[in-house]
Amino acid sequence: MSVLVVGSLALDSIETPFGAVDNTIGGSAVYVAVASSYFTNPIRLVGVVGGDFPPEGIAFLERRNVDLEGLQIVRDGKTFRWAGKYQYDLNARDTLSTELNVFESFDPKIPEKYRKSRYICLGNIDPVLQLKVLDQVENPRVVICDTMNYWIERKGKELRQTLERINVLILNDSEARLLSREPNLIKSGRVIRGMGPTVVIIKKGEHGALLLTEQLVFSAPAYPMESIFDPTGAGDAFAGGFAGWLARTDDLHEENLKKAVIYGSTLASFCVEKFGVEGLADLTYLQIQDRFRQFRELSRFEED
Ligand code: AMP
């Protein structure tokens, strides 16, 4: 099954207690597309970059067989830039700067051959753009959407319109509280489901993720890691792994949603092991399967 990924392509400057990089390839669409490419194909990408986006970034996506027909290149424009800094508590990050650049005038055009994509993954971008994408696709089976505090605070009204048209919302705990104005995460998930999506996934950084549907509260652990270098993109890698598994299996039953959450957590765990997108560069399906199985062991216990 095909996955259409729409989101940011970026040049990120990241500082963690373990190092720093400047202008490295990033952006929500890059992480989502690459993570989902380990599960299914074709992965189709819609986004925009400036003339300064490095050819290595394009080559990286091509190596993962991502279809780039929907990528707009504004030769005389500057790529979206984001800078963030993590303290010792890697769950908390400060955004130092966000420069929208070519994103400011981005008008997503979905190529004809992408319009019938069955799975749509709306990366973390302006909800106005997310709506424009939804207006151009034909009857998708599942729409998965990511967002963040930046958009909840600035484009709350538009985000609510997007929420009415999606099936799965993925967001982190502080964003869930901000969106729902409800401190308890279970209640928060219920409030958000009332806004549209039937499935809400609340990520809790190194404490795992909650999958919430009408019937189900599933708590997935995070993979306990000794070396986390850079959490950037973990949320998007999670979304990509989740979407990729669902598209591969095309099965929306609750048991399979749980597996998709674990595959999402698996891809997120690989992502944080290295700086930027490097952690997702050269995985094998066997490595992914192996870590997926280790997740089962994490919280398995005998009854007596
Ligand atoms: P994550 O760590 O999963 O939340 O995603 C980090 C990625 O999101 C980085 O590569 C950034 O370039 C991108 N990003 C950060 N802020 C924004 C924003 N306001 N809109 C779109 N993408 C963003």
Side-chain angles (χ1 to χ4, degrees):
M1 286 274 166
S2 51
V3 182
L4 167 61
V5 178
V6 187
S8 57
L9 291 95
L11 293 174
D12 288 341
S13 296
I14 307 163
E15 203 184 318
T16 81
F18 315 107
V21 282
D22 265 340
N23 293 327
T24 189
I25 294 150
S28 57
V30 174
Y31 285 101
V32 174
V34 172
S36 56
S37 74
Y38 286 100
F39 296 97
T40 189
N41 65 73
I43 306 297
R44 297 158 167 168
L45 186 140
V46 169
V48 64
V49 292
D52 55 353
F53 194 71
E56 304 89 82
I58 304 287
F60 174 67
L61 290 163
E62 281 172 345
R63 265 201 309 282
R64 292 301 316 148
N65 280 323
V66 177
D67 184 334
L68 298 178
E69 191 185 315
L71 178 64
Q72 297 173 28
I73 303 176
V74 183
R75 293 271 164 224
D76 57 352
K78 275 178 81 183
T79 299
F80 171 79
R81 276 173 171 69
W82 175 79
K85 183 175 176 173
Y86 299 83
Q87 312 294 346
Y88 268 101
D89 175 0
L90 292 171
N91 283 319
R93 86 171 162 209
D94 298 319
T95 288
L96 302 179
S97 65
T98 301
E99 285 177 42
L100 293 178
N101 297 332
V102 286
F103 248 106
E104 220 146 357
S105 49
F106 177 50
D107 187 13
K109 297 256 173 352
I110 310 300
E112 196 55 46
K113 79 169 197 228
Y114 288 11
R115 292 186 180 210
K116 290 198 167 74
S117 299
R118 304 295 282 141
Y119 284 76
I120 315 286
C121 205
L122 299 172
N124 158 34
I125 49 171
D126 188 332
V128 174
L129 300 181
Q130 293 176 327
L131 285 168
K132 280 191 176 177
V133 172
L134 293 178
D135 286 340
Q136 294 175 65
V137 293
E138 291 169 27
N139 204 14
R141 178 150 155 79
V142 180
V143 181
I144 298 160
C145 178
D146 191 356
T147 194
M148 71 185 294
N149 49 356
Y150 187 89
W151 302 117
I152 298 171
E153 283 160 358
R154 287 169 177 75
K155 297 277 175 87
K157 209 171 98 222
E158 294 82 353
L159 181 63
R160 293 291 287 267
Q161 284 173 272
T162 303
L163 295 182
E164 283 171 19
R165 297 173 62 182
I166 65 162
N167 307 97
V168 183
L169 181 68
I170 301 178
L171 72 182
N172 72 29
D173 44 5
S174 63
E175 292 157 357
R177 291 186 175 110
L178 184 67
L179 177 62
S180 62
R181 297 179 189 194
E182 167 55 61
N184 177 287
L185 291 180
I186 307 293
K187 288 185 189 160
S188 169
R190 197 177 306 132
V191 171
I192 296 170
R193 286 198 310 99
M195 297 175 185
T198 49
V199 178
V200 173
I201 297 172
I202 302 180
K203 298 167 291 177
K204 299 182 292 170
E206 64 181 336
H207 306 298
L210 285 174
L211 164 67
L212 304 162
T213 70
E214 194 185 350
Q215 317 285 345
L216 178 76
V217 177
F218 174 64
S219 174
Y223 190 71
M225 311 196 57
E226 278 198 39
S227 49
I228 300 180
F229 279 101
D230 172 18
T232 307
D236 304 313
F238 178 98
F242 177 85
W245 177 257
L246 281 192
R248 181 189 182 97
T249 53
D250 199 28
D251 170 359
L252 301 176
H253 290 102
E254 285 183 344
E255 282 310 310
N256 202 48
L257 290 177
K258 291 183 193 173
K259 282 189 200 164
V261 167
I262 301 296
Y263 276 111
S265 307
T266 301
L267 269 287
S269 75
F270 283 117
C271 180
V272 303
E273 280 178 328
K274 296 187 182 156
F275 255 94
V277 291
E278 228 185 294
L280 297 179
D282 289 306
L283 301 173
T284 63
Y285 198 63
L286 212 65
Q287 265 176 299
I288 294 172
Q289 285 298 106
D290 195 43
R291 192 163 287 181
F292 175 85
R293 289 199 192 97
Q294 291 175 37
F295 267 93
R296 290 184 60 188
E297 295 307 315
L298 274 176
S299 40
R300 204 173 62 166
F301 54 89
E302 305 300 330
E303 203 176 323
D304 46 26

